[in-house]
Amino acid sequence: MTGILFALIAASGWGSSAVFTKIALEKIDTRLGTIVSLFFSTIVMFTISLATQIDHFSKLKMPDMIWFFAAGVFTFSLGRLLNYTGISFVGVSKSTPLVGTSTLFATIFAILLLGEKPSPLIGIGVLLVTIGIIFITKSK
Amino acid sequence: MNKQTESKNILFGYLASLGAACSYGVSANLAKSIVNNVTEPLVATSFALMFGFITLALIYFKQLVNIVKINKKTFLFLFLAGMAGSTGVGCQYYAMKNAPVFIVAPITGSYPLFAMFFSFIFLRKVEKQNFSTLIGALMIILGVTLIILSK
């Protein structure tokens, strides 16, 4: 039950985040909005991780920073900026499901770059996601 | 705004959304390596956020002068957006710890439905919802759930 509750909070957190973003971006530039939002997220996340997992910080080495930098560029510099741009241009209802296809891209990259084996279930999933994208982009 | 510009903006919005999905797809594979080989997800996310913020602030440093023009309401909503997003990441981590992936994945994967619901409640005046978008969102959620469960 605890797991389900946390999963529901996660889903409603991401859902509400998109709506807050849309309201905030009505009056400012998307790039500036993304920078300010990232600033707040960084402060909040560092506070939580320092409060709960401070012992892990001392184990970090300098080369680990390269991994964090790469993750930061793809997830936040690029990912969040494009996500906010999508919300700003086509709205929450159309942008959020499209951004939600990231699992599809993650799977494609895992198959192409990490050599993971695709299964028939993945094929059905890809087909459904593609039809879903068509439905959203064709809707008025 | 004329019709041609509007169509271009819509196309740009769709491409940006799919670009974000693609970027998140790359980062999911990076995250897998980081969590397996480097450190805990919360610590990694904190540093990734910091580097993401610094990179974007350096690229668009000219935009930073406009920060004084942001009103309190906008600051509040940007803060709430950041907080809600971070809460989502943290809760997903704890959900995965406390329940099997076949239960957690469909629930967290359904976040576009939550977004559409909140949008219907709070953005009714600026955003139109329609049946076709809802069907599309449901198909994407079902497809993504199947992909996650196949692993």
Side-chain angles (χ1 to χ4, degrees):
Chain A
M1 195 61 199
T2 317
I4 294 172
L5 190 68
F6 276 117
L8 282 169
I9 298 171
S12 54
W14 291 326
S16 57
S17 177
V19 174
F20 293 141
T21 303
K22 176 73 181 175
I23 298 169
L25 294 180
E26 270 173 20
K27 287 179 182 165
I28 58 163
D29 185 272
T30 312
R31 293 164 294 181
L32 182 61
T34 311
I35 293 169
V36 175
S37 142
L38 280 176
F39 173 76
F40 286 133
S41 300
T42 306
I43 300 291
V44 171
M45 213 55 171
F46 258 108
T47 308
I48 295 170
S49 55
L50 280 169
T52 58
Q53 302 187 332
I54 194 159
D55 49 321
H56 290 283
F57 280 82
S58 57
K59 292 175 193 163
L60 295 173
K61 299 176 193 93
M62 271 315 277
D64 298 339
M65 297 298 150
I66 298 167
W67 283 101
F68 300 147
F69 176 76
V73 167
F74 279 105
T75 317
F76 299 111
S77 305
L78 209 57
R80 191 175 288 194
L81 179 65
L82 290 170
N83 186 358
Y84 281 15
T85 306
I87 289 172
S88 183
F89 277 73
V90 290
V92 174
S93 312
K94 288 185 177 180
S95 171
T96 318
L98 296 180
V99 176
T101 63
S102 61
T103 308
L104 168 72
F105 289 101
T107 308
I108 292 169
F109 290 126
I111 291 167
L112 292 177
L113 306 173
L114 304 176
E116 285 189 12
K117 295 269 181 286
S119 69
L121 212 53
I122 289 180
I124 299 169
V126 170
L127 186 69
L128 284 170
V129 169
T130 310
I131 297 169
I133 292 171
I134 293 167
F135 259 95
I136 288 170
T137 52
K138 293 284 175 194
S139 69
K140 290 191 176 172
Chain B
M1 201 190 307
N2 67 39
K3 218 170 182 180
Q4 202 180 0
T5 315
E6 198 181 347
S7 300
K8 271 186 185 171
N9 282 349
I10 290 171
L11 179 66
F12 184 63
Y14 288 147
L15 289 175
S17 303
L18 288 170
C22 191
S23 195
Y24 288 146
V26 174
S27 73
N29 285 292
L30 281 169
K32 201 174 172 183
S33 297
I34 291 172
V35 173
N36 286 338
N37 307 312
V38 184
T39 189
E40 293 291 310
L42 281 178
V43 178
T45 308
S46 304
F47 279 99
L49 270 164
M50 184 187 76
F51 282 117
F53 163 69
I54 292 170
T55 310
L56 219 52
L58 286 174
I59 294 170
Y60 297 117
F61 68 95
K62 283 182 183 170
Q63 282 289 328
L64 293 174
V65 294
N66 295 322
I67 210 159
V68 290
K69 292 178 192 164
I70 302 178
N71 62 32
K72 280 182 189 167
K73 186 190 159 197
T74 306
F75 260 124
L76 175 70
F77 279 106
L78 285 172
F79 173 74
L80 289 173
M83 275 284 282
S86 303
T87 305
V89 174
C91 286
Q92 186 193 30
Y93 170 57
Y94 286 108
M96 289 287 192
K97 261 193 161 178
N98 288 293
V101 71
F102 71 86
I103 290 176
V104 175
I107 299 173
T108 54
S110 70
Y111 84 92
L113 289 184
F114 283 83
M116 289 170 89
F117 173 72
F118 291 131
S119 162
F120 177 72
I121 303 283
F122 300 108
L123 300 172
R124 211 178 293 190
K125 285 178 188 168
V126 284
E127 271 198 33
K128 284 178 193 167
Q129 305 257 359
N130 62 48
F131 191 65
S132 194
T133 312
L134 181 67
I135 296 287
L138 284 170
M139 293 195 94
I140 287 173
I141 290 162
L142 189 63
V144 164
T145 305
L146 282 178
I147 291 169
I148 294 168
L149 296 184
S150 71
K151 290 181 178 176

